[in-house]
Amino acid sequence: MREVVPLATFPPVLALRGISKRFGGVQALVDVELQLRAGEVVALAGDNGAGKSTLIKVISGVAPADRGIIEWEGGLVQIKQPHDAHALGIATVYQDLAMCDNLDIVGNLFLGREIDRVGVLDEVEMERQARELMHTLSMRIPDVRMPVAALSAGQRQAVSIAHSLMGSPKVLLLDEPTAALGVEQTSHLFDLIEQIRDRGMAILLISHNMGDIKAVADRVAVLRLGRNNGLFDVNTTPQEQVISSITGAADNAKTHRPTGDDEVWP
Amino acid sequence: MRGGEPSGEAQPAGAGDGSGAGGKSSGADGHGRARGPGPGIGGFIHTVRTRVRGPERGPALVVLGLIMICVLFQVLNDRFLSPRNLSNLSVDIVSTGLVAVGIVFVLLIGEIDLSVGSVSGLAGAAFAVLNVNLGVPEWLAMIVAVLSGMAAGAVHGFFFAWVGVPSFVVTLAGLLAWNGMALYLLGASGTINLDENGLVASLTSSYFGQPAVAYGLAALGTAGYALACLRTRTRLTAAGMRYRSPGEIGVRSGLLALVAFSAAYTLNQFQGLPLALLIFLVVIVVSDYVLRRTRYGRRVYALGGGAVAARRAGVRVVRVRLVMFMTSGTLAAIGGLFVASGLTSASPTTARAAGSGMLLINAIAAAVIGGTSLFGGRGSTWSALLGALVIQSIASGMALLGVEDALQFIITGAVLLAAVTADTLARRTERMPAQA
């Protein structure tokens, strides 16, 4: 079923084209375009109700799109359910940081990807790998056998991200990751995001905090009322321009046009 | 026989203990595990202390309560701790205990099964009608009876997991309907007496008379436990992780040996190891192993501890839920065969009694008193043994004293309430750190 569409020499890992989604009477997304490239952090910004969370749900398969095309590494794919997204290599860290409070960190990290030997859980190997992962990600977790109920918000966030990295995904979706974090924890999180990006992953970060976007994103895609409202390079665009595009004070010239790099589009 | 630690023996004994967090100087190497100071017996005493104070105090308190119950009844009536009474007690706990194991499965995913009493009654009735009235061979009738329990569980599981009807309501409907079906089956014939020398009757009347059997089992259990601990220790040490010290393993194995051998000695004083008790222990050991040491069991605990996280991690929630209710129904049916075996009959009176809920209440009470949480995700099938011992000891002791049913119900109810209160409070203290 994979139809290869030649686009460019280096197609984006994930490309959305003309994505629309309706919830009952509400048109949540209208012809949304988005591209994610390996080794790049894209921030998805927009006011409340702009469709950020809906777009994440479309990509993660929780709420599939009604119309539109999804391309994965240049090939056409369908994401109908969370399993499809998992199988492609899309991992999601949700805002609520839901975990199994009765399991320890190792149990949560390996949930769904447990290691076993002839049907019996290999706790030693899981613990060893968990330590290794904590070490490579320079996470400050004193004991991987701690119950997750005892973790701080920042530590929960870190463990959630580590869990999402378990299957070596290529795309990581982060839904408002800084919402519950303090200043220091936030800066730890950004270090972690940069580290993951440098390993060649594509990261989509939902945020409406301009400070966060400035700090960690390479590009920022703005949604307004379910439509694209501009794609900016974080380093060269004045903050005011991004903000006015979020609030709608300035209807961006690119509003109803694709937000991808022009040379990619025929 | 630990409470709610799905990670099993690889878990440090003191982990899961919030109160000990301050003492965890987890070392410069970052490899330090949460362990008490000092090796050997000192470390073990520390572990016992932290466990008695921490959220894991449940099982420790239950054992303490059990000892107090035994002492109390022994003082009031010196026949309570006689080999005969204890041996009978060890058979009497089996029907309630097996049903309670099924309840543990359902409680672990945070649900409830109110139909187990009726399902066990249905299984007894189905067996009696098939075997005695219709002449079906005993083994086949037993299989059909057990399968009927599994099918009843599948019906509950379907309506709960697929359709989304709350488990409380589905199994309440089951309580009525399966009880009605048992009465309907027995309706034509009234009380059916089972073959006194048959397979089902022998479930509760067979004993392994040779003392070597009970002692052998005690030795096997203790040696198996000690070897498993030592093997884990070897692996963990090789991987640079810490585990219980050899001294602590020795003390634990010694305690287990003490309990196992004194139980074997007591049973041998009467008629030897009861077959029913052996079956019960095998069911507990196997189900505990599946729940704590396999991928599938881990996902059961995960579902009980956080359904959202489990679903996102790819746990097949609907399937796990269905299987849990089928397990509960199956074990309820097996428990029902033990009830029928004890009475060597199936009658509308016992079926009505099953529907009225004493077995149900006792089974749920046993699971919860033993330390399985009503809120899901915490507990083990060992709690069925512990809880059934408490419930049955109270019943047996009061029967010896000639206490009337009314008072027995009140006391059992009070014990259940105390256990649930302890569960609720434990859950509350444990939630604290997360909110900080």
Side-chain angles (χ1 to χ4, degrees), chain A residues 6-244:
Chain A
L7 275 175
T9 334
F10 297 107
V13 185
L14 181 73
L16 308 181
R17 293 209 267 160
I19 296 292
S20 296
K21 174 79 187 169
R22 176 182 278 277
F23 286 118
V26 183
Q27 187 72 43
L29 295 175
V30 186
D31 288 332
V32 171
E33 316 273 329
L34 186 73
Q35 295 189 356
L36 300 178
R37 290 169 190 283
E40 188 182 52
V41 178
V42 176
L44 187 61
D47 212 343
N48 289 338
K52 305 187 298 285
S53 293
T54 308
L55 192 59
I56 288 270
K57 284 178 185 161
V58 166
I59 302 174
S60 63
V62 174
D66 300 331
R67 282 196 297 116
I69 291 170
I70 300 177
E71 283 164 12
W72 180 261
E73 295 177 332
L76 205 58
V77 292
Q78 303 264 350
I79 300 180
K80 297 270 184 209
Q81 50 178 340
H83 178 79
D84 299 340
H86 274 284
L88 286 172
I90 299 172
T92 314
V93 176
Y94 296 87
Q95 194 178 349
D96 59 22
L97 302 179
M99 286 189 170
C100 299
D101 283 336
N102 58 335
L103 301 183
D104 57 21
I105 294 174
V106 177
N108 273 285
L109 274 180
F110 285 89
L111 186 56
R113 296 186 188 275
E114 298 86 353
I115 300 173
D116 56 4
R117 299 192 308 175
V118 279
V120 181
L121 290 177
D122 190 343
E123 294 286 353
V124 176
E125 179 60 17
M126 286 196 278
E127 181 169 339
R128 200 186 58 74
Q129 288 193 17
R131 285 221 177 114
E132 215 172 83
L133 187 68
M134 293 291 139
H135 184 72
T136 47
L137 296 176
S138 2
M139 288 180 182
R140 296 180 183 181
I141 306 281
D143 180 2
V144 291
R145 288 294 177 184
M146 262 164 82
V148 293
L151 294 179
S152 71
Q155 289 172 325
R156 269 177 99 87
Q157 176 80 259
V159 172
S160 290
I161 293 176
H163 175 233
S164 72
L165 296 179
M166 251 12 226
S168 314
K170 293 182 172 168
V171 169
L172 179 62
L173 310 178
L174 296 168
D175 191 0
E176 305 234 8
T178 59
L181 303 188
V183 178
E184 197 194 340
Q185 291 171 335
T186 303
S187 89
H188 279 306
L189 173 70
F190 291 162
D191 290 345
L192 183 58
I193 290 176
E194 278 166 8
Q195 204 184 329
I196 297 167
R197 178 194 61 194
D198 295 343
R199 289 209 226 150
M201 275 180 66
I203 296 166
L204 181 65
L205 169 94
I206 289 197
S207 181
H208 44 206
N209 181 329
M210 278 312 295
D212 293 354
I213 294 171
K214 273 273 181 205
V216 78
D218 300 305
R219 292 188 296 154
V220 51
V222 176
L223 287 182
R224 178 161 167 74
L225 304 175
R227 294 172 186 272
N228 285 115
N229 201 27
L231 177 78
F232 310 96
D233 184 320
V234 171
N235 297 318
T236 57
T237 315
Q239 194 163 318
E240 295 70 29
Q241 195 183 339
V242 179
I243 291 174
S244 59

Side-chain angles (χ1 to χ4, degrees), chain B residues 160-252:
Chain B
F160 166 63
W162 253 287
V163 184
V165 185
S167 62
F168 166 76
V169 182
V170 174
T171 56
L172 191 60
L175 183 154
L176 272 176
W178 307 126
N179 192 34
M181 197 173 278
L183 289 172
Y184 178 81
L185 282 178
L186 293 167
S189 46
T191 301
I192 301 174
N193 289 314
L194 303 182
D195 178 2
E196 301 243 344
N197 302 312
L199 213 56
V200 164
S202 70
L203 283 177
T204 52
S205 63
S206 300
Y207 292 82
F208 296 96
Q210 307 89 330
V213 179
Y215 288 129
L217 186 69
L220 195 71
T222 313
Y225 175 78
L227 284 178
C229 284
L230 288 174
R231 193 174 149 272
T232 309
R233 184 179 154 74
T234 314
R235 284 201 67 205
L236 281 169
T237 319
M241 304 168 197
R242 275 204 250 165
Y243 187 61
R244 295 166 188 154
S245 64
E248 191 192 333
I249 294 175
V251 173
R252 283 168 174 271

